[in-house]
Amino acid sequence: MSKSNSRFIVPAKSSDAGKAEHKNISIIIPVAGMGSRMKRYGPKCLFPTSKGSTILSKIIKNIRKVYPYCEIIATVGFDADKVIDSVPKNIRIVENQLYDTTNMVESIRLALNNAVNDDVIIVNGDLIFNVFALQNLTKHGSCVVVDSQNRFNKKDEVGVTVIDNMAVNFAYGLPIKWAQIIYLTGKELVKFHEFCNDREKNKMHTFEILNMVIESGGVFLADEPKGMQIKEIDSLKDLPRWDK
C-alpha cells in the first residue's frame, strides 16, 4: 500500500472560522514529530501537564480563549491515532505520513494547503503558554513572537536579530529568541506558502523558510507581548512552575 501525504478527518467549515471582533483566521499546530527525548511517553504533545491536561489540550484551550471562532488545524504524524482521539471533534486533522523522513515544513505545507482563511497563525506543538502570548498578534501585519527575557533559556534555541522592532534574521546563538509563534498575512503568507510548497525544502526548518521570506522582501514585526509566559517542553524538567 503506497503512502499518501495527508489524511483529512474533519472537513473545512469556512462559515465557522473567525467571527466577532477577529477577522477570519486559521491556526496551525504542527504535532507530527516523534519528540525523541520524550518518545517513550508517546507523542510529546500528549504529555500530561497540570490539572489533567496535555500540552496540546492547553494550546487549544488558550487559542480558543483568544480566537474563539478560528479554524484550528493540527498536523499529526507519529502515533497519529492517539493524537486524533485526544482532540475535540471541531479540530481539523491533517496527517503527515512522511513525518519520519521530513521536517516541520512538510507538516506546515500540508496544513496551509488545506486552510480556509488567508490569515494564518502557526504555533509549535510543544509549547506551554498563557493567553497573553497570542493577544493582538493580528493588529500590525505579519509578525513573529520573540523572547528577550530568557524564557527560552537554552543556547541551542533559534534566535532572531531585531532592528527597529523588525525581525531581520533567524539563526542559532542569538540572545533574543524566537518564541515559535508566527502570524502570516499578505505577501509574507504568499511567499511562505510558496517556499513550503517546494518539495525540495521539506527537510528544512521553519526558521530557514522565514529567512527566505525576509530575503525576498517580506517584513515581520518582532512582537514580545506584555504579560507573556511561555515555555518549550523537551523533558519533564521543562514543565513551568507558573502553569501548576
Side-chain angles (χ1 to χ4, degrees), residues 37-240:
R37 280 177 280 189
M38 298 173 74
K39 187 175 179 181
R40 65 188 174 126
Y41 297 104
K44 189 198 298 189
C45 66
L46 298 185
F47 185 77
T49 62
S50 64
K51 302 176 183 177
S53 298
T54 65
I55 294 174
L56 181 56
S57 67
K58 283 183 174 291
I59 291 174
I60 292 170
K61 181 179 179 180
N62 282 334
I63 286 173
R64 287 294 188 207
K65 285 180 179 178
V66 183
Y67 302 100
Y69 303 103
C70 69
E71 171 194 43
I72 298 178
I73 304 173
T75 313
V76 302
F78 173 62
D79 268 357
D81 289 338
K82 289 183 180 179
V83 181
I84 292 168
D85 289 342
S86 77
V87 299
K89 298 302 181 183
N90 60 353
I91 304 299
R92 293 189 63 210
I93 299 292
V94 176
E95 183 174 355
N96 176 9
Q97 295 187 356
L98 305 179
Y99 69 89
D100 54 345
T101 59
T102 60
N103 216 321
M104 193 180 294
V105 167
E106 175 66 5
S107 293
I108 292 172
R109 180 187 75 81
L110 293 170
L112 285 173
N113 284 346
N114 294 280
V116 300
N117 298 304
D118 292 330
D119 293 88
V120 173
I121 293 175
I122 301 171
V123 179
N124 280 18
D126 56 359
L127 300 174
I128 290 179
F129 52 85
N130 63 4
V131 294
F132 294 105
L134 296 178
Q135 287 183 338
N136 300 318
L137 292 186
T138 64
K139 284 193 171 182
H140 304 291
S142 297
C143 72
V144 295
V145 178
V146 301
D147 165 38
S148 65
Q149 304 298 319
N150 293 320
R151 302 176 187 90
F152 288 76
N153 56 4
K154 300 171 186 174
K155 292 182 180 179
D156 60 348
E157 295 293 345
V158 174
V160 56
T161 300
V162 178
I163 299 176
D164 294 332
N165 295 321
M166 307 306 294
V168 298
N169 182 63
F170 293 80
Y172 293 108
L174 297 172
I176 298 176
K177 302 303 181 185
W178 171 42
Q180 301 174 17
I181 297 174
I182 317 164
Y183 169 57
L184 293 157
T185 188
K187 67 179 181 180
E188 289 80 25
L189 177 59
V190 171
K191 282 294 183 182
F192 189 93
H193 196 173
E194 177 184 319
F195 290 133
C196 286
N197 268 334
D198 182 346
R199 298 296 184 89
E200 294 183 359
K201 295 179 173 59
N202 65 11
K203 291 183 172 65
M204 295 180 71
H205 296 285
T206 310
F207 78 91
E208 295 176 296
I209 301 296
L210 288 170
N211 279 337
M212 294 173 65
V213 173
I214 292 170
E215 290 167 3
S216 67
V219 176
F220 291 94
L221 176 73
D223 184 19
E224 186 162 10
K226 186 177 180 180
M228 175 178 70
Q229 291 180 309
I230 191 166
K231 185 78 173 179
E232 181 186 24
I233 308 302
D234 281 327
S235 66
L236 289 170
K237 64 182 178 61
D238 292 329
L239 290 173

